[in-house]
Amino acid sequence: MSEPDTRGTIFIDPILYADQEAWHAAAAELRDDAPVLRVEIDGYTPFWAVTRHEDVFAVSRDNEHFLNTRNSVLGPDAQFEFLKSIGIEGETLIHMDGDEHRDHRNVANDWFRPRAVAKRQVAIDAIADEFVEQFRQMDGTCDFAQDIAVPYTLRVIMGIFGIPQEDEPTMLKLTQGIFGAADPEYLGDLSDPMALLTDTIAQFDAYFDELTEDRRAHPTDDLATVIATSEVNGCPMDSNARLWYYTIVATAGHDTTSFALSGGLEALLRHPDQVALLQARPELVNNAVDEMIRWTSPVRHFLRYLTRPATLSGVEVPEGDRLLLSYPSANRDERMFDDPMTFDVARPNANRMIAFGGGEHFCLGSTFARRELRTILPKLLAAVDTVEVAGLPEWAQANFVGGVKHLPVSATFR
Ligand code: HEM
């Protein structure tokens, strides 16, 4: 009997994601000889890991044959069973399909269209200026991830959400409790990741119930009011869907973007020639931002379920099985990107990166995310004379959303 193929553990074990070089080397091998790999690991319903750009792209765009369902994020079966047994079931946009998804997405869609996001530019500029100045005030030495990237991206998204500045630490803690549950740094006094997750969800629930009552009584022009008073098919949004709507905006809205910024800066600073190029040719900034997002791919995966059999890269996958779409792998696919392991702000097809997914679930906040990075990066590069990594960066242990969580940086300012 042949030995079971255990290479699929790279998609499960959070610790393996913390060593990016080793992780990408393993994914490159899979793209070559097992691009659609069946992964059977104790405690997990089997899945097929899809690692090539072409396949991730095709599956993402076909929302009829590949569904999200209520289980669209990978986790141990026992975790889902436990959460279900205590009445917790994810009901974000990510967990919906078809009409249900479209009707719910329409609730907030207008807030994320390019024109609406462009109107926020003045506010984003002011926040970016504040954080660049803060960096200067710290004598040019900081943990760029925690001191700048996290609070900057949090402040921007909380601004549209309508969450007051004094509640930002609460939002941050709650986000880390959901996305960072596997990273020991976020466990605090709690005994295990499951306790952290359930505790966090209960806190989100209480916070957002209060917010709903407040906005219904005192409507304002913020996104929280839209969600609190929203109707789907003529009825108020179901309370569970409402809780998860707030939750996805509060969480997906900043952790992802801050990881793209901190990890993107880490890559940039490792290449002083690229820093010089961007300083000399600021018009490259949009391309550079796409390259940062390609490079970091902060969302590690989502799942899709087959409504009928499909063939991907010559592999037949039966109806009902599930696929794991590996965005970090697809974004380093040598079939799509020349020399994919090189960080290149002038890469001609950086915008073909697939870090935001595709099809009907294409990231609602992609315009915001890009704009946030496009705003702060030139301000930072214009403000400094020299800037460099000043210690060992640390990557989060996370198999869902992750990236550089600590980045010591030092700079001299002009
Ligand atoms: C670099 C930053 C970001 C990355 C890499 C990212 C990535 C993703 C990915 C991969 C998806 C799933 C797409 C699919 O299934 O095809 C997604 C969906 C989503 N993202 Fe983002 N995201 C980022 C920033 C944001 C921001 C700033 C927001 C703002 C609130 C946001 C809100 C959402 C929402 C609400 C969805 C669900 C969309 C749906 O299912 O219809 N994301 N994102």
Side-chain angles (χ1 to χ4, degrees):
M1 219 171 75
S2 62
E3 287 288 304
D5 192 332
T6 57
R7 291 179 293 173
T9 47
I10 64 164
F11 304 104
I12 292 181
D13 189 343
I15 295 171
L16 299 181
Y17 276 99
D19 182 346
Q20 281 285 290
E21 223 165 282
W23 192 94
H24 277 296
E29 190 185 303
L30 290 180
R31 283 195 299 278
D32 270 347
D33 66 38
V36 182
L37 172 74
R38 179 148 172 100
V39 183
E40 294 180 15
I41 288 187
D42 275 356
Y44 289 78
T45 301
F47 60 90
W48 300 82
V50 180
T51 43
R52 285 188 186 166
H53 188 286
E54 186 187 7
D55 293 329
V56 172
F57 185 71
V59 171
S60 301
R61 287 170 62 91
D62 184 348
N63 302 102
E64 207 186 314
H65 299 138
F66 304 100
L67 297 181
N68 277 35
T69 82
R70 295 291 197 251
N71 275 353
S72 36
V73 177
L74 190 67
D77 295 339
Q79 175 177 314
F80 286 106
E81 278 152 26
F82 171 72
L83 289 175
K84 225 172 158 181
S85 74
I86 58 169
I88 295 177
E89 194 173 35
E91 214 178 318
T92 70
L93 293 178
I94 288 289
H95 298 92
M96 297 177 182
D97 292 290
D99 291 349
E100 184 190 33
H101 171 258
R102 192 204 50 228
D103 293 343
H104 283 82
R105 185 157 165 140
N106 281 344
V107 167
N109 215 11
D110 285 349
W111 284 71
F112 294 92
R113 289 189 200 281
R115 201 178 299 166
V117 178
K119 286 193 187 145
R120 298 267 157 192
Q121 186 59 53
V122 175
I124 301 174
D125 270 326
I127 300 169
D129 285 336
E130 187 186 324
F131 280 101
V132 172
E133 182 53 28
Q134 195 164 305
F135 187 9
R136 184 197 299 269
Q137 299 298 328
M138 296 166 98
D139 287 335
T141 308
C142 70
D143 174 351
F144 187 85
Q146 293 304 316
D147 296 331
I148 310 288
V150 168
Y152 164 62
T153 52
L154 185 66
R155 178 87 36 95
V156 172
I157 211 71
M158 292 305 145
I160 54 162
F161 211 178
I163 304 288
Q165 219 164 300
E166 65 266 23
D167 287 355
E168 285 172 7
T170 309
M171 286 294 112
L172 187 58
K173 203 170 134 253
L174 295 181
T175 305
Q176 287 167 343
I178 289 206
F179 284 168
D183 193 313
E185 182 171 338
Y186 303 123
L187 272 180
D189 299 335
L190 292 165
S191 53
D192 65 74
M194 192 57 71
L196 176 62
L197 197 62
T198 50
D199 190 61
T200 304
I201 292 169
Q203 287 182 50
F204 260 123
D205 208 353
Y207 183 93
F208 289 131
D209 268 351
E210 213 177 294
L211 187 67
T212 303
E213 301 226 331
D214 178 76
R215 292 305 195 274
R216 285 181 175 170
H218 315 284
T220 64
D221 62 349
D222 60 21
L223 184 56
T225 303
V226 171
I227 298 172
T229 58
S230 64
E231 293 197 342
V232 175
N233 293 326
C235 301
M237 198 193 299
D238 165 86
S239 62
N240 198 39
R242 194 177 57 238
L243 160 71
W244 286 106
Y245 219 116
Y246 288 126
T247 306
I248 196 171
V249 175
T251 55
H254 69 93
D255 226 25
T256 48
T257 318
S258 69
F259 280 131
L261 178 56
S262 55
L265 191 76
E266 194 264 346
L268 184 67
L269 299 187
R270 296 264 174 233
H271 302 87
D273 57 316
Q274 301 268 303
V275 177
L277 180 63
L278 254 188
Q279 281 173 321
R281 293 185 53 200
E283 75 278 7
L284 278 178
V285 68
N286 291 2
N287 206 68
V289 163
D290 277 0
E291 178 69 349
M292 287 162 99
I293 299 172
R294 179 189 80 88
W295 187 257
T296 53
S297 294
V299 176
R300 311 308 202 189
H301 74 267
F302 274 115
L303 301 174
R304 295 289 195 270
Y305 293 73
L306 278 77
T307 61
R308 66 170 76 156
T311 303
L312 298 164
S313 283
V315 177
E316 283 177 32
V317 184
E319 177 182 339
D321 274 20
R322 56 187 195 161
L323 307 172
L324 176 142
L325 305 183
S326 176
Y327 305 113
S329 171
N331 279 333
R332 301 282 180 106
D333 188 348
E334 32 295 285
R335 291 152 199 81
M336 169 56 66
F337 301 105
D338 289 342
D339 203 3
M341 303 298 174
T342 298
F343 180 80
D344 176 7
V345 296
R347 179 178 293 285
N349 65 347
N351 66 355
R352 297 296 306 277
M353 57 86 182
I354 194 170
F356 293 121
E360 287 170 8
H361 289 277
F362 181 76
C363 175
L364 187 65
S366 65
T367 311
F368 258 114
R370 282 182 158 130
R371 196 171 271 267
E372 287 174 50
L373 267 61
R374 289 171 183 178
T375 302
I376 198 164
L377 189 61
K379 287 180 190 293
L380 184 66
L381 294 183
V384 298
D385 223 357
T386 61
V387 54
E388 58 188 16
V389 176
L392 279 183
E394 226 183 291
W395 271 260
Q397 296 179 13
N399 67 9
F400 177 36
V401 174
V404 174
K405 65 174 180 174
H406 296 296
L407 180 63
V409 167
S410 72
T412 54
F413 280 78
R414 293 185 202 273

